[in-house]
């Protein structure tokens, strides 16, 4: 049996995922990547009408099912206005702040398929011109996209095929370090998508028989709140979101362990499933932290809100500076992948 997890393989998959632009609403290419990956493993997949991908591995028990989910949609933006000064005004997709994208390289994806590069800047960037360059508020009014093209007015922009409603994606700037860090935009939640893809690969290659039929939903609307609230088979008993652990002041989550969420903005997660995840971690020498995420909602909480009668949980690698300049460590990826592996092989809880 090969060493598992192979963290370098997982990181390689994550690097490919974050490099595919996929703001919510513009996820066809990254879903295709995941589908191609799974079909090469002869895994049964199907698309839902929202554009997400569902993979299913049969289990010994086909009366009670499990579902795991991770999401490929990311933060991004849309063109809100084609400005008379030859620049673009943005409308944000997802929950983040304008200051987190100031100075970021971006791509504008036109409806015809052409892609243009640009930079997201304050209108008052030059300190040689604007006295209030450092004090002006970072907001929709003051921030704009400088397009890498010879454009000086709205007509020039429209001649390129750029129009209101075009998607804008952010350069992930993915890097890995010799001491095990991976830093990139969109680790939320492509780090966990990479983990699930690698998990499925191992289960298929080693012909592991799962105790329960298990579905893996690669969702594509999580950042706007409803990626995983549908297409849940009625046989599903346990539903585990594999997303990210949020770090910051007062948080116990770090970049080296798997974070097990006990409560987020939607309320507590299922106590019995939480205890089972802790039990599996301790039994298998998996480093973990319990935590509460005060301003967070997951696909699992969306499923509960939509009325599904399920046992719900949430885990993930610890991500520093979430929805901004994200980073995690290979130790966190390893611990998360191990916990998910042991979870899918475990007995269901008594509920």
């Amino acid at each position: 049996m090969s060493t598992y997890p192979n963290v370098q393989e997982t990181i390689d998959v994550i690097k490919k995922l974050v490099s595919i632009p996929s703001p919510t609403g513009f996820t066809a290419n990254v879903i295709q990547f995941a589908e191609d990956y799974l079909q090469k493993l002869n895994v049964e997949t199907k698309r839902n009408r929202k554009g997400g991908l569902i993979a299913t591995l049969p289990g010994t028990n086909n009366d009670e099912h499990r579902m795991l989910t991770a999401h490929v949609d990311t933060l991004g933006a849309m063109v809100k206005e084609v400005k008379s000064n030859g620049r673009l005004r943005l409308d944000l997709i997802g929950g983040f702040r304008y200051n987190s994208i100031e100075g970021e390289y971006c791509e504008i994806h036109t409806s015809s398929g052409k892609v243009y590069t640009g930079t997201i800047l304050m209108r008052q960037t030059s300190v040689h011109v604007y006295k209030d360059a450092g004090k002006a508020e970072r907001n929709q009014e003051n921030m704009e996209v400088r397009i890498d093209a010879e454009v000086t007015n709205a007509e020039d922009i429209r001649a390129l095929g750029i129009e209101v409603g075009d998607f804008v994606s952010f350069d992930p700037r993915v890097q890995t370090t010799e001491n095990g860090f991976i830093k990139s935009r969109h680790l939320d939640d492509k780090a966990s998508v990479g983990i699930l893809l690698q998990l499925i690969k191992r289960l298929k290659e080693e012909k592991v028989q799962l105790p329960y039929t298990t579905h893996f939903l690669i969702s594509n609307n999580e950042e706007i709140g409803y990626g995983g609230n549908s297409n849940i088979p009625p046989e599903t008993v346990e539903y585990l979101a594999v997303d990210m652990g949020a770090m910051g002041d007062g948080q116990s989550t770090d970049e080296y362990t798997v974070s097990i969420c006990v409560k987020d903005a939607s309320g507590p997660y299922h106590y019995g499933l939480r205890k089972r995840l802790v039990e599996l971690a301790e039994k298998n020498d998996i480093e973990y932290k319990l935590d509460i995420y005060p301003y967070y909602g997951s696909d699992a909480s969306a499923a509960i809100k939509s009325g599904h009668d399920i046992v719900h949980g949430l885990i993930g690698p610890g991500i520093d500076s979430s929805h901004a300049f994200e980073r995690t460590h290979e130790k966190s990826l390893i611990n998360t992948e191990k916990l998910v592996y042991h979870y899918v092989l475990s007995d269901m809880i008594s509920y």
Side-chain angles (χ1 to χ4, degrees):
M1 183 181 296
S2 59
T3 302
Y4 181 81
N6 184 325
V7 71
Q8 188 54 58
E9 279 191 11
T10 301
I11 288 174
D12 288 344
V13 173
I14 293 169
K15 289 170 73 173
K16 291 175 182 176
L17 286 164
V18 299
S19 298
I20 302 172
S22 59
T24 306
F26 190 73
T27 57
N29 289 340
V30 73
I31 288 290
Q32 187 64 58
F33 172 88
E35 186 174 59
D36 291 345
Y37 183 99
L38 293 171
Q39 288 184 347
K40 289 176 182 176
L41 299 170
N42 294 316
V43 174
E44 174 192 340
T45 64
K46 65 178 181 179
R47 303 277 187 105
N48 61 26
R49 293 190 180 96
K50 290 191 289 188
L53 183 69
I54 303 167
T56 299
L57 297 180
T60 303
N61 184 337
N62 195 40
D63 295 324
E64 296 179 304
H65 294 191
R66 280 187 167 126
M67 192 166 215
L68 289 81
T69 183
H71 67 91
V72 288
D73 62 308
T74 70
L75 306 176
M78 265 189 181
V79 175
K80 168 65 173 66
E81 179 187 348
V82 178
K83 299 179 69 174
S84 60
N85 66 352
R87 298 195 176 188
L88 304 173
R89 180 169 290 162
L90 295 177
D91 196 61
L92 304 183
I93 298 173
F96 64 106
R97 302 293 180 263
Y98 275 97
N99 66 284
S100 71
I101 57 171
E102 182 176 2
E104 192 61 88
Y105 293 160
C106 65
E107 291 184 341
I108 305 105
H109 305 267
T110 70
S111 59
S112 68
K114 292 183 179 179
V115 179
Y116 296 93
T117 61
T119 307
I120 301 169
L121 299 167
M122 284 288 289
R123 179 174 55 82
Q124 312 94 318
T125 293
S126 175
V127 295
H128 299 99
V129 177
Y130 299 100
K131 184 178 180 180
D132 65 343
K135 297 180 180 178
E137 186 176 351
R138 273 59 182 163
N139 58 22
Q140 188 182 62
E141 181 67 26
N142 290 331
M143 296 195 75
E144 59 190 15
V145 176
R146 180 184 68 196
I147 309 167
D148 297 327
E150 293 187 34
V151 290
T152 58
N153 54 53
E155 290 73 22
D156 290 343
I157 295 175
R158 288 195 162 95
L160 297 177
I162 297 173
E163 191 48 90
V164 172
D166 287 341
F167 284 93
V168 177
S169 63
F170 309 144
D171 186 343
R173 292 185 293 138
V174 58
Q175 291 185 8
T176 54
T177 67
E178 291 183 359
N179 57 348
F181 289 102
I182 176 170
K183 50 186 181 178
S184 175
R185 288 193 181 273
H186 316 317
L187 294 177
D188 172 21
D189 182 34
K190 290 180 175 179
S192 291
V193 174
I195 285 169
L196 289 191
L197 292 178
Q198 284 293 100
L199 169 68
I200 296 169
K201 180 182 178 183
R202 183 196 184 185
L203 295 174
K204 286 293 290 184
E205 289 182 345
E206 298 184 357
K207 298 180 173 60
V208 175
Q209 178 63 46
L210 294 177
Y212 306 94
T213 294
T214 301
H215 309 279
F216 298 85
L217 170 63
I218 309 300
S219 79
N220 64 332
N221 288 280
E222 192 275 348
E223 293 294 356
I224 55 175
Y226 58 85
N229 60 351
S230 63
N231 303 103
I232 302 172
E235 298 86 358
T236 300
V237 176
E238 294 183 358
Y239 185 109
L240 181 68
V242 188
D243 206 318
M244 59 132 201
M247 294 174 55
D249 293 345
Q251 299 298 106
S252 64
T253 298
D254 60 33
E255 295 174 87
Y256 313 106
T257 60
V258 55
S259 182
I260 300 173
C261 182
V262 301
K263 177 184 178 295
D264 65 12
S266 69
Y269 283 79
H270 193 280
Y271 187 49
L273 182 53
R274 181 242 283 197
K275 291 202 296 183
R276 172 58 54 82
L277 292 166
V278 169
E279 175 187 287
L280 290 169
E282 293 180 347
K283 180 180 178 181
N284 295 285
D285 298 318
I286 297 167
E287 295 185 74
Y288 72 94
K289 295 288 175 64
L290 299 176
D291 215 345
I292 292 172
Y293 315 146
Y295 310 110
Y296 189 119
S298 72
D299 274 337
S301 56
I304 286 287
K305 287 180 179 179
S306 63
H308 288 280
D309 183 19
I310 52 175
V311 170
H312 73 315
L314 169 62
I315 66 171
I319 304 292
D320 186 54
S321 300
S322 59
H323 282 200
F325 313 104
E326 296 174 347
R327 189 185 76 169
T328 192
H329 193 274
E330 62 182 32
K331 291 180 180 178
S332 190
L333 301 177
I334 291 169
N335 283 308
T336 303
E337 199 163 339
K338 284 182 176 179
L339 182 54
V340 176
Y341 174 76
H342 288 289
Y343 168 68
V344 298
L345 292 179
S346 68
D347 292 331
M348 283 194 187
I349 66 167
S350 299
Y351 54 92

